[in-house]
Amino acid sequence: MTTLPVRDRAAARPAAPAPAPARFRHLLAAEWIKLWSLRSTHGVLGVGALTVIGINVNSAVSNADRLAHQPEPPPGASARPEMLFDPLATAFVDPAWQLLMIIAAAVGAITVFGEYASGLIRTTFAAVPDRQAVIAAKATVVSAVMLALGTLVSGASFGLTQLLLRDHGGLSLGSPGALRAVVAAALVAPLCALVGMAVGATVRHAAGSVVTVIALLLLLPAFFRGERYRWVKEIGNAMPLSAWTRLVTNPERWRPPGKYPLTVAEAWTVYGAWAAVAVLVAVLVVRRRDV
């Protein structure tokens, strides 16, 4: 019996089958594990949600107490105290929801720059060379998680505040503008998370990403509030904060619209445009820059 040399035996051995390419569902599972393996994720989202809800509830409690001790209007007065009060605004207090915007954006950013900082991104792209698919999976998982968070916070804030204000003009979801406000507040979390992903992919630094997100979402709109020049106001109207403010405004509480008001349709367009551009920026930056 003839024995083949070791080199010939190795050559004659059948080659191992190539591993099957990762499917998108596998990428989704991997990104889910990455997101929830960070202990900070649970704490930041949990504490953030409770803080936002707590600020809104505190606003409702304060207003309910104030209205309960409001003296009766004098004879002939045309408006009751409740008519001068907007119950919808208590569910969407600006500082509370601005905090949620920053939290969502920071979590979105860390899903990208966190991998670059730890070097895990090299392993990810070695296993899945299709960078576009990786970013798509990240965006899908982050958007789903933030949508769930936004829905929880928005629904709880609206339900609890209106329950506390039931004797002072509290609203239901069927009230004009209420459902729109709840949906808009729920969607602002995934929107800001996608913006954070784009910033994280571009900046790739923890402090730099957070500062950039705050400047982009909260500080920049403050520079475009004037109405002297139309182009200044139009830029301000194109910001997510302006769109959110327009969508959560009670349509039954009249206020001067200003020179160049943002319509409801335009506000929804701003939401969609920012989300699409954010994903596009994240994909292009990750595809073109080295790890």
Side-chain angles (χ1 to χ4, degrees), residues 179-271:
L179 181 59
R180 183 187 69 199
V182 172
V183 173
L187 290 177
V188 80
L191 168 62
C192 293
L194 293 176
V195 173
M197 282 187 58
V199 171
T202 304
V203 178
R204 298 187 181 183
H205 187 272
S209 296
V210 173
V211 170
T212 302
V213 160
I214 294 175
L216 185 62
L217 295 177
L218 300 185
L219 300 183
L220 190 60
F223 290 100
F224 297 97
R225 289 184 175 177
E227 296 184 345
R228 182 175 182 180
Y229 302 104
R230 180 166 185 168
W231 66 271
V232 173
K233 183 63 175 180
E234 293 292 354
I235 294 176
N237 287 341
M239 298 293 173
L241 182 60
S242 300
W244 173 83
T245 301
R246 176 65 183 89
L247 292 171
V248 301
T249 299
N250 192 336
E252 292 197 331
R253 303 294 174 174
W254 184 90
R255 63 187 63 188
K259 283 187 178 181
Y260 313 108
L262 181 65
T263 67
V264 171
E266 290 171 342
W268 286 122
T269 302
V270 170
Y271 264 46

Side-chain angles (χ1 to χ4, degrees), residues 79-96:
R80 304 190 312 272
E82 291 86 351
M83 298 302 294
L84 304 176
F85 166 70
D86 184 3
L88 187 60
T90 61
F92 306 104
V93 179
D94 286 344

Side-chain angles (χ1 to χ4, degrees), residues 67-230:
L67 292 171
H69 295 85
Q70 184 82 18
E72 291 294 328
S78 58
R80 304 190 312 272
E82 291 86 351
M83 298 302 294
L84 304 176
F85 166 70
D86 184 3
L88 187 60
T90 61
F92 306 104
V93 179
D94 286 344
W97 289 92
Q98 290 174 7
L99 174 63
L100 182 66
M101 293 171 69
I102 297 304
I103 291 173
V107 172
I110 198 175
T111 60
V112 180
F113 76 69
E115 287 200 54
Y116 282 97
S118 64
L120 179 61
I121 197 69
R122 296 184 179 88
T123 304
T124 299
F125 289 153
V128 185
D130 188 355
R131 299 186 178 189
Q132 182 174 338
V134 172
I135 295 301
K138 285 183 181 293
T140 302
V141 171
V142 170
S143 297
V145 171
M146 290 303 163
L147 178 59
L149 176 71
T151 301
L152 172 64
V153 176
S154 180
S157 294
F158 179 81
L160 292 174
T161 55
Q162 302 314 304
L163 179 63
L164 292 168
L165 295 170
R166 61 187 179 276
D167 297 328
H168 307 286
L171 306 177
S172 67
L173 281 178
S175 302
L179 181 59
R180 183 187 69 199
V182 172
V183 173
L187 290 177
V188 80
L191 168 62
C192 293
L194 293 176
V195 173
M197 282 187 58
V199 171
T202 304
V203 178
R204 298 187 181 183
H205 187 272
S209 296
V210 173
V211 170
T212 302
V213 160
I214 294 175
L216 185 62
L217 295 177
L218 300 185
L219 300 183
L220 190 60
F223 290 100
F224 297 97
R225 289 184 175 177
E227 296 184 345
R228 182 175 182 180
Y229 302 104
R230 180 166 185 168

Side-chain angles (χ1 to χ4, degrees), residues 4 24 46 52 61 63 66 68 100 151 155-156 159 209 217 259 279-280:
L4 293 175
F24 191 68
V52 173
V61 171
N63 282 289
R66 175 177 62 84
L100 182 66
T151 301
S209 296
L217 295 177
K259 283 187 178 181
V279 174
L280 180 62

